[in-house]
Structures are given as C-alpha cells and as structure tokens.
Amino acid sequence: MRCPTAKGVQLVASAKRVKTSSSFHEVSMETTRLSREGLCPGFSRGRFHKRASDDPSGSVKETIEPQTTTVQKIIEGDVFKYYSDGEWKVSSSGKTVSIINPTTRKTQYKVQACRQEEVNKIVESAKQAQKSWAKTPLWKRAELLHKAAAILKEHKKTIAECLVKEIAKPAKDAVTEVVRSGDLVSYCAEEGVRVLGEGKFLVSDSFPGNERTKYCLTSKIPLGVVLAIPPFNYPVNLAVSKIAPALIAGNSLVLKPPTQGAVAALHMVHCFHLVGFPKGLISCVTGKGSEIGDFLTMHPGVNCISFTGGDTGIAISKKAGMIPLQMELGGKDACIILEDADLDLAASSIVKGGFSYSGQRCTAVKVVLVMESVADAIVKKINALVEKLTVGPPEDDCDITPVVTESSANFIEGLVMDAKLKGAKFCQIYKREGNLIWPLLLDNVRPDMRIAWEEPFGPVLPVIRINSVEEGIYHCNASNFGLQGCIFTKDINKAILISDAMETGTVQINSAPARGPDHFPFQGLKDSGIGSQGITNSINMMTKIKSTVINLPTPSYTMG
C-alpha cells in the first residue's frame, strides 16, 4: 500500500545556515538561541569541551574552548568541503561531484572532486600524525573515542536528514543508524583497552629440545595508515566500524565515503573533528572513483584497506599489494525452510529480512529455498505480509522507499523481466515509478533464471521449491557468494548438520540473516569477502604482532 502523505520529518539543525554573498555560514548567535530553548543539544550555553592538540612529545594535551567557537564551516557556496589536516578544504580541481536524491532524482548535494595531488598530501599527513598517535596512551585514545560517540549521538538528527535525502533511508532507520554508530564507537573504545592492554609471555622450554633460556614478550602494534571505504547503504555505521578500531589500535585513518552518503559521512567526520583528534589523524577525501579510486587503493603510503561494497573489492584485492585486507563484498543469502518449520516465524523473518530498506542490504534474504510440501503455505503467508508493506518516500517512514540510483532500478528490472520471460510466477503486479519499485515475490523460480543467482539489491525476492534438504544445500553452495544463510526448523540437530554443510560465513537458525550486534564476527566466504569484521576482529586485523626476546646466559626456572 502507498504510505500516506505526511509533512516529513522535522529535523533540528545544530546551527542555522544563512546565505551570504559568498557562502553559507554557521551562525553561532542562532545556535545560542536554540540552546537556550533546548532545541540544540551539544551546543548549550556555557558548555565547554576538551580539544586535543598536537604535542612534540607524542602525547596529547587538552585545552578548553567554548564549543560554539568550534563550529566549522564545512560548506562553500553549495559544495561541501573535504577534510584534511584538521581543516575543511576546497579542492584545487575546481570540480564537484553531484549527489542525486533517489526520491526526487534531482541534485541534492555537491561534494569536492579531489585530485591525486591532494590524496598524496592526505596520506603523507596521515603517516606523520600516526607516529605521534601511536605514542598516545591507550586510555587517552579510548577517552577521545567516547567523546566522539557522545557528539555523534548529539548530531543524530542532522546526520539522519542527510541519510534520508542521499540514500532514501526511512527516517527512523536513519536515526537508528547514527545512534547505533555511537554505541559501536563506545564499545570499541572499551574493547580496545582490553584487547590491546594485554600481550603474551612465552618461555622457550615449552618447545622440545630447548632449555628455559629465552623469554618472548609479544604485543600488538598499529599497522600505520588505514584506508576505509564504506558502502552507500550504511555510510555512517560501516564507516565508524572501520574508523573506531583503526584509531583505538593506534592507526591513522583515511576515509573515502561512497558518493551516495558522502555528506552524511562528512557530518560524521565533523563530529570527530569537534573532539579534537590530532591534525591529519583522520581525513575524508571525496571524489570520483574513476579519478582517485585506484590511486588511493594502490597508494604506497596505505598500510591496510577495509572495504565494504560490491565486486569492486575483487579488483582492489588484485591491485593492493602486500597489505592486510578486510573486505565484505555482498551475498546471495539463502533461506532454507524445512517441513517442520514454524511457518509464521519464517514468513515474518523473510519479509523483514528480504524487504527492509528495500532489500538494499548485504545480509538481506536473497533467495528462499522451501520444501515443496510447505511451499504453498509459506508463499501465502509471505504474500499476506508483503501486501501490508507501505511504499513511498523515506520522509514518511515507509517500508519500501526508492532504491539508491536509477541504474540500480534498471538492473533490478532486468532481473525481473528475465524471470518473467522464463516463466516465474508473479505474486504481485510489477510496478515501478522512477527509482521506486514496489515489493515483489517471485514464485516457481528455476535455476536458469538470473534472479536465482544474482544479487538484486532491491525489493524483489525469488522462491525456489526444493524436494530435499540436499537440493537446498547444493543451491546455496553453488553460488559464488558465501556471506550468510538461514535455516528454519524445529529440529536443532538437523539445523546444526545443515549449518555445517552450508558454505557461508554465518548461518542463522530460525532468524533471517543479519549483521550484528556489531561485536559479533561478520565474514564471508568465496566472493563474499576476505577476513572477518566485528569490533574485536577488526581491532586485531588492524594490528600486527611485535615480539621482543630476552636471552638468558643460563637456564632459569621460576621456583615457588
């Protein structure tokens, strides 16, 4: 059903923009007025924050400044600046990149199109800043991250508004993403203190043929400069999931946000700026992937790449060289439904897992593999729930909102038309207006249809009827993807056996695929990725082991 027309979401900005002859300026007087009226959290009158500044000794000093004086101008005219060396800058290229609103299909924002020379300066600054940051006490790094988390939550409405306009994320989900991101940063600060605060002590006589003449001390040290590339669908959450582990581990961070979602990411980076991290430690470079993409990922000054996205990651992995890679590259997450499954639970999980955020999630249910004996029943239940989904603009908090770009909508439509040509049963009439595609369930899908294998990243869900569990496992494992999968059954013994047989990074039992909670391991097999995410795994991945061996002149054994 069409989501009813509403006025949209009223978002209170942290400061009112007033256009002058040259640019937009943040007006602190308006901020003060909003603060007195309780409308501008984080900029209250008389409130101060601690700002860290560089110190030659490698430590971080704190100075006290009124927070209203730190409001930075991050936009020049109608173009957002990029962030480098603790400052907001305009690219010398004189070029911009337009961000198209998926709902209106008109230009919503513009960002700088940075040049390769500017990337060079950013990476060099990051290298220098990292050397000092690595000498900053662990507790101090954690303290600054906690402050960033708090400021991020204070600015949730401003950032959420960008998510609504840039990627058509429903308003409530947009706010949730920002709050979740703040929680992730705080958890990472705590976990980092624990994970990095301990090392190992080894003695040589535990290996055959050795006396106790050597003591080995191991610790985790930073990699250097981490390049973070998040995707459009979670440009804030999947940015901080890279930023926070990198910083707590003592690395510097260069962020290349997606075009759709870049302004939300810039506002997020502004929150880190307000904390006062050392200049050059965090940078955010915007621009066209065709001009600076390969230059960034192949840059000799980059020591680690954390990427979330599509098959672009495969190309990056082939070019990046001998540096650690953390990659999540999508999935074709299969849902296997056995005859003894709770069909009501399965249907509600499939609709939520397959259609939330219009199916634009790596962990969305991408194909339903259901035993023939219960196929009619589960299709009927899914259809009933699909009919209740609301369709419309993200400002109205609709379940189904426009997909991110016209090219994405065209790709989805291509999969749908291929299925129609080959005889799939349409449970709903296919309907599209611009980037908005109504939810569609396709029954009787066969393996010769593209939708059976390709990831639509949209509100279209195929159902394949199977005659055995082995058939379902075979289809799951025949995919080049291996991110997640799920099983619905009341028999836990069967569930474990099927889980073990599925070639996926995670298997959910009696629930739809999901990324999170954010401290859970998250990884893919085959073309779905390299390495593992999750807060602890990301911290460990962004460090390396350093050993120091003490050699004794004679064996020494500790006595009681």
Side-chain angles (χ1 to χ4, degrees):
M1 63 183 283
R2 166 72 75 167
C3 199
T5 302
K7 293 181 179 179
V9 180
Q10 299 290 327
L11 297 175
V12 180
S14 59
K16 181 180 179 182
R17 287 196 188 106
V18 178
K19 190 169 184 179
T20 68
S21 58
S22 59
S23 65
F24 284 91
H25 293 277
E26 304 285 14
V27 182
S28 59
M29 289 179 63
E30 178 67 8
T31 302
T32 303
R33 181 187 68 78
L34 291 173
S35 300
R36 285 198 301 265
E37 296 174 6
L39 299 176
C40 189
F43 290 94
S44 56
R45 185 173 62 174
R47 179 180 172 191
F48 295 83
H49 82 294
K50 295 180 180 180
R51 179 173 178 80
S53 57
D54 297 312
D55 181 79
S57 67
S59 62
V60 177
K61 290 183 177 180
E62 292 182 340
T63 57
I64 307 297
E65 297 177 4
Q67 190 165 357
T68 53
T69 67
T70 67
V71 179
Q72 299 294 310
K73 186 175 64 175
I74 68 172
I75 188 169
E76 183 76 24
D78 62 347
V79 184
F80 281 84
K81 299 179 180 180
Y82 75 99
Y83 185 67
S84 173
D85 269 329
E87 298 177 358
W88 295 97
K89 299 180 178 180
V90 175
S91 173
S92 60
S93 72
K95 299 178 182 179
T96 64
V97 178
S98 296
I99 299 174
I100 307 300
N101 185 318
T103 304
T104 65
R105 293 193 291 168
K106 296 179 180 179
T107 298
Q108 184 70 48
Y109 302 115
K110 295 178 183 177
V111 295
Q112 303 294 324
C114 292
R115 301 169 64 233
Q116 292 183 0
E117 290 80 1
E118 290 159 334
V119 170
N120 276 333
K121 292 179 181 178
I122 284 174
V123 174
E124 184 58 35
S125 295
K127 289 172 63 177
Q128 296 303 316
Q130 189 273 327
K131 294 177 181 179
S132 296
W133 181 244
K135 299 176 183 177
T136 301
L138 191 54
W139 67 265
K140 173 59 66 177
R141 298 180 208 163
E143 183 179 82
L144 294 175
L145 283 173
H146 279 303
K147 292 176 182 178
I151 294 174
L152 190 60
K153 290 182 179 181
E154 289 176 354
H155 289 73
K156 63 185 177 184
K157 291 185 178 180
T158 301
I159 299 172
E161 182 180 23
C162 296
L163 293 173
V164 169
K165 293 178 179 178
E166 289 187 273
I167 62 172
K169 180 160 285 190
K172 287 183 180 178
D173 292 344
V175 172
T176 299
E177 177 176 346
V178 183
V179 174
R180 172 186 179 181
S181 299
D183 290 337
L184 188 157
V185 174
S186 286
Y187 191 103
C188 186
E190 293 289 339
E191 184 71 357
V193 170
R194 290 189 289 268
V195 171
L196 302 170
E198 60 181 28
K200 284 187 177 180
F201 173 68
L202 302 174
V203 290
S204 55
D205 66 312
S206 60
F207 194 86
N210 285 271
E211 295 285 352
R212 187 170 296 186
T213 57
K214 296 176 182 288
Y215 292 159
C216 180
L217 307 175
T218 68
S219 59
K220 296 174 182 177
I221 62 173
L223 296 175
V225 179
V226 174
L227 172 61
I229 309 176
F232 80 84
N233 55 348
Y234 289 91
V236 176
N237 182 258
L238 283 173
V240 301
S241 73
K242 307 172 191 304
I243 295 171
L247 295 183
I248 193 66
N251 299 289
S252 57
L253 192 288
V254 176
L255 176 67
K256 170 59 178 74
T259 298
Q260 302 289 141
V263 173
L266 288 167
H267 278 289
M268 177 270 296
V269 169
H270 182 61
C271 294
F272 281 82
H273 169 81
L274 291 175
V275 175
F277 284 93
K279 293 181 178 181
L281 188 68
I282 306 171
S283 302
C284 185
V285 55
T286 57
K288 296 179 180 179
S290 59
E291 296 180 4
I292 63 171
D294 283 352
F295 191 76
L296 264 170
T297 56
M298 298 173 66
H299 200 289
V302 170
N303 306 113
C304 171
I305 299 175
S306 179
F307 173 91
T308 303
D311 54 12
T312 300
I314 296 176
I316 292 174
S317 67
K318 293 177 179 178
K319 300 174 183 177
M322 291 182 62
I323 61 174
L325 300 176
Q326 182 186 54
M327 296 197 167
E328 190 268 283
L329 310 179
K332 185 67 177 178
D333 299 0
C335 175
I336 299 178
I337 304 176
L338 303 191
E339 293 169 314
D340 68 339
D342 181 333
L343 297 185
D344 289 320
L345 173 63
S348 61
S349 299
I350 288 168
V351 171
K352 182 179 180 181
F355 293 102
S356 62
Y357 188 40
S358 302
Q360 296 176 111
R361 297 164 43 249
C362 293
T363 55
V365 175
K366 306 287 174 52
V367 60
V368 177
L369 304 166
V370 56
M371 295 294 287
E372 180 68 56
S373 61
V374 294
D376 286 342
I378 193 67
V379 168
K380 183 178 179 180
K381 289 178 182 292
I382 293 172
N383 269 325
L385 295 174
V386 168
E387 294 299 327
K388 296 179 181 179
L389 295 175
T390 56
V391 181
E395 290 85 354
D396 295 346
D397 264 326
C398 294
D399 299 310
I400 305 297
T401 58
V403 295
V404 68
T405 63
E406 184 177 357
S407 61
S408 295
N410 292 339
F411 175 76
I412 296 165
E413 186 167 293
L415 296 179
V416 171
M417 292 301 104
D418 175 78
K420 182 178 182 180
L421 182 66
K422 295 175 181 175
K425 179 182 177 181
F426 281 50
C427 296
Q428 292 80 26
I429 297 174
Y430 175 68
K431 185 177 180 181
R432 173 185 172 186
E433 291 180 3
N435 292 3
L436 185 61
I437 296 175
W438 269 247
L440 177 63
L441 186 70
L442 297 174
D443 194 8
N444 294 317
V445 169
R446 300 191 313 271
D448 63 327
M449 300 177 187
R450 289 175 57 199
I451 192 71
W453 305 104
E454 297 182 42
E455 184 181 23
F457 235 62
V460 179
L461 183 60
V463 176
I464 298 177
R465 297 174 179 234
I466 57 176
N467 294 304
S468 67
V469 171
E470 291 73 20
E471 186 180 346
I473 294 172
Y474 174 82
H475 186 93
C476 172
N477 293 348
S479 172
N480 62 308
F481 291 112
L483 187 60
Q484 289 205 8
C486 63
I487 307 160
F488 284 89
T489 178
K490 295 176 182 176
D491 189 332
I492 189 62
N493 295 319
K494 285 184 180 178
I496 294 299
L497 291 173
I498 296 170
S499 173
D500 287 346
M502 293 173 72
E503 297 172 0
T504 60
T506 301
V507 176
Q508 304 274 351
I509 297 175
N510 292 324
S511 183
R515 178 179 60 86
D518 286 319
H519 66 303
F520 278 20
F522 181 60
Q523 56 282 317
L525 307 182
K526 299 183 282 188
D527 286 353
S528 284
I530 300 172
S532 180
Q533 298 180 53
I535 291 171
T536 306
N537 287 345
S538 292
I539 293 172
N540 286 328
M541 179 266 172
M542 294 178 184
T543 62
K544 53 190 172 185
I545 300 298
K546 174 74 177 284
S547 297
T548 299
V549 179
I550 301 172
N551 292 274
L552 305 177
T554 58
S556 178
Y557 294 87
T558 304
M559 308 304 292

